[in-house]
Amino acid sequence: MLTNNKNVLNWVDEMVALTKPDKVVWIDGSDEQMEALKAEAVSTGEMEVLNAEKLPGCYLHRTLPNDVARVEGRTFICSRKEEDCGPTNNWWDPKEAYATLSKLYDGVMKGRTMYVIPYSMGPIGSKFSKVGVEVTDSIYVVMNMDIMTRMGAKAFENLGDESNDFVRGLHSKADIDENNRYICHFPEDNTIWSINSAYGGNVLLGKKCFALRIASYQGKNEGWMAEHMLILGIENPEGEVRYICAAFPSACGKTNLAMLIPPEIYRKKGYKVWCVGDDIAWLRIGEDGRLWAINPENGFFGVAPGTNEKSNPNALASTRKNTIFTNVAHNLSDNTVWWEGLDKNPPANAIDWMGNKWDYTDGSKGAHPNSRFTAPAENCPCISKEFNSPNGVPISAIVFGGRRAKTAPLVYQSFDWNHGVFVGSIMASETTAAASGAVGVVRRDPMAMLPFCGYHMGDYFKHWIEMGKKLGDKAPKIFNVNWFRTDDEGHFIWPGFGDNMRVLMWILERCEGKADAVKTQIGYQPKAEDINVEGLDIDVETVKGLLNVDKELWTEETEGIGEFYKKFGDRLPEELKDELAELKIRLK
Ligand code: OXD
Ligand code: MN
């Protein structure tokens, strides 16, 4: 046992009595303990060791084909009152959920070992940080938590002997039975129960379950925010760094933006980009009244396919040591890994993500489209010097974005904080041909938090508005971007990737009062010539087109927003109703 905290000890005793493991192992996080666990996982086949020269310290793991992604349909918010869960989440009465799941957990760890994992979300010793304890019957979970969090005895330093402020996470892979798979959150009890999955997003309980769903609820009650946002810093040639948070739905390039390589014109002048986080930000008001952010995580749980030397060299470099690969292809000729979009040379002698001999010439995929790497943040060549800073970094701008072929322009700035909350609340992304179903269908995903907000989304909007009141004139400026506008043939017009920095530069200039803007119906926009296109095959006319606001499309858009807003009934803040009404007037 690594703590004298009675609240922790009592809870672990309860979980042991429920799941009845043969053995209980407390994870202290020491190298010896981790090496022994890795050796055990390799001996049972749960993990395979990869090429010690090319990928030192790296492992390969496969999950079952029925267990390869987050399961939103089986994810529940078990608030005591149904109305506190809200229309965008699945609700389950906590009494019923505990009763049903207790039957599934009863004796589920017989013949197995329970690992007790203490972890800190956020740097040890930071006032921002929060402690969690996850009990699990999976070594894969222990190994991933070791990368994704500050795990082990040191995590209890933040808790002390008396506090009851820790998140209780119970996980069992049970039989990986998809019909009995549940990911349940009990926000009022600081509790998460996950069963019958072994896929990361469902079982690494520090990530989506704690750092977003439970933490968003804690943040509302405690006056801070947990957001699905990357954090990056842009350093100018004078050595000053300004930080930006950005929220995008999945498949919109968050990890790529967080680690971007500046275009040559900026590199030559001495600009640098630093990654603080690629997925989650915890935001608090600092002593100076500004908004400060930490990344509560300690690693990257990134999508492998499409990651390559061009799209994201920093992410690829992060995976070259001490990384866990899940559901990618195994190249047997040199015991390395491969995924679609890594390079143009699929291995001839390989095993696919399902564990079968793979022949790429038959058109099948070697890696699952949601295959992942779990890589330590410290591996990232552009990791920020402030990554472990207990105070986090001060935020100059908040950026929202989605995938819109026509409606949203390349960039616009909100008129003020409340209008910015409106802009975040109407965030949407269009489905692509890559997914099944109709192309171009708009899915609303406010602040990219649709699957991750642990309480009523109307109250969440209200919380944003309250935070703005507290921040006053120290509030970050709020922007919206869209990298995905297409021409009449459906080709992307904006080059994206590192060139997105050109838009971030206008954003930062606005924050510093150095750039002009034009007032349009939807917000402030740059003059076309204020987006630097030097070195690009794009002229000012094209930029004008990218910035264009189509009144007809936006009028249609207001109808869609109105429909979406109806869901929230009287929990929709008046401020947002007013914003919608004013937008309609401006479009007339
Ligand atoms: C996600 C992720 O699904 O970050 O958003 O894994
Ligand atoms: Mn995410």
Side-chain angles (χ1 to χ4, degrees), residues 400 413-426 447 464 478-479 576 579:
F400 296 120
Q413 179 187 355
S414 72
F415 295 122
D416 54 32
W417 180 271
N418 281 359
H419 180 233
V421 177
F422 172 74
V423 168
S425 78
I426 65 169
M447 284 83 168
W464 265 84
I478 301 181
F479 298 81
L576 296 189
E579 290 294 343

Side-chain angles (χ1 to χ4, degrees), residues 3-6 8 131 155-163:
T3 178
N4 296 318
N5 185 303
K6 280 270 174 309
V8 173
V131 176
F156 280 132
E157 280 173 32
N158 274 9
L159 190 65
D161 283 352
E162 305 295 331
S163 173

Side-chain angles (χ1 to χ4, degrees), residues 81 131 225 274 378 427 434:
K81 290 195 207 139
V131 176
M225 303 160 98
W274 301 106
E378 65 183 16
M427 253 175 76

Side-chain angles (χ1 to χ4, degrees), residues 178-230:
E178 58 190 314
N179 298 316
N180 278 309
R181 183 169 298 154
Y182 294 99
I183 321 297
C184 290
H185 306 71
F186 304 86
E188 287 114 340
D189 302 342
N190 271 349
T191 294
I192 305 155
W193 281 15
S194 161
I195 190 160
N196 275 308
S197 173
Y199 167 76
N202 302 325
V203 303
L204 309 179
L205 300 185
K207 192 175 177 66
K208 303 296 187 181
C209 299
F210 177 176
L212 287 176
R213 296 195 191 97
I214 297 285
S216 60
Y217 174 79
Q218 294 177 329
K220 179 198 60 154
N221 295 330
E222 297 166 11
W224 54 283
M225 303 160 98
E227 298 296 332
H228 191 200
M229 289 177 174
L230 65 90

Side-chain angles (χ1 to χ4, degrees), residues 70 199 201 207-208 228 250 254 279 301 303 370 372 452:
R70 287 188 292 103
Y199 167 76
K207 192 175 177 66
K208 303 296 187 181
H228 191 200
S250 22
K254 226 150 89 245
D279 196 40
F301 183 63
V303 176
N370 191 36
R372 298 279 176 150
F452 305 121

Side-chain angles (χ1 to χ4, degrees), residues 30-61:
S30 65
D31 290 346
E32 305 77 64
Q33 186 185 45
M34 287 311 296
E35 286 315 313
L37 283 174
K38 288 172 188 172
E40 186 181 335
V42 170
S43 74
T44 60
E46 187 176 352
M47 294 290 201
E48 290 176 62
V49 195
L50 295 166
N51 186 316
E53 259 122 61
K54 293 186 176 168
L55 294 169
C58 293
Y59 293 83
L60 172 65
H61 174 78

Side-chain angles (χ1 to χ4, degrees), residues 131-273:
V131 176
V133 182
E134 175 167 356
V135 297
T136 176
D137 50 11
S138 157
I139 298 180
Y140 173 75
V141 168
V142 179
M143 287 173 63
N144 274 271
M145 290 294 279
D146 189 27
I147 297 172
M148 294 305 296
T149 73
R150 282 91 172 168
M151 182 190 85
K154 58 187 184 236
F156 280 132
E157 280 173 32
N158 274 9
L159 190 65
D161 283 352
E162 305 295 331
S163 173
N164 198 20
D165 183 12
F166 68 99
V167 170
R168 299 135 165 82
L170 167 61
H171 167 249
S172 173
K173 51 192 178 184
D175 311 316
I176 321 280
D177 170 4
E178 58 190 314
N179 298 316
N180 278 309
R181 183 169 298 154
Y182 294 99
I183 321 297
C184 290
H185 306 71
F186 304 86
E188 287 114 340
D189 302 342
N190 271 349
T191 294
I192 305 155
W193 281 15
S194 161
I195 190 160
N196 275 308
S197 173
Y199 167 76
N202 302 325
V203 303
L204 309 179
L205 300 185
K207 192 175 177 66
K208 303 296 187 181
C209 299
F210 177 176
L212 287 176
R213 296 195 191 97
I214 297 285
S216 60
Y217 174 79
Q218 294 177 329
K220 179 198 60 154
N221 295 330
E222 297 166 11
W224 54 283
M225 303 160 98
E227 298 296 332
H228 191 200
M229 289 177 174
L230 65 90
I231 312 165
L232 68 78
I234 297 186
E235 181 177 332
N236 67 18
E238 290 73 49
E240 297 154 342
V241 189
R242 307 259 186 278
Y243 295 91
I244 296 175
C245 278
F248 298 84
S250 22
C252 292
K254 226 150 89 245
T255 304
N256 292 349
L257 187 65
M259 301 177 190
L260 73 81
I261 307 258
E264 203 189 334
I265 53 154
Y266 292 116
R267 271 200 321 262
K268 271 201 317 224
K269 290 187 189 144
Y271 282 93
K272 293 182 183 129
V273 168

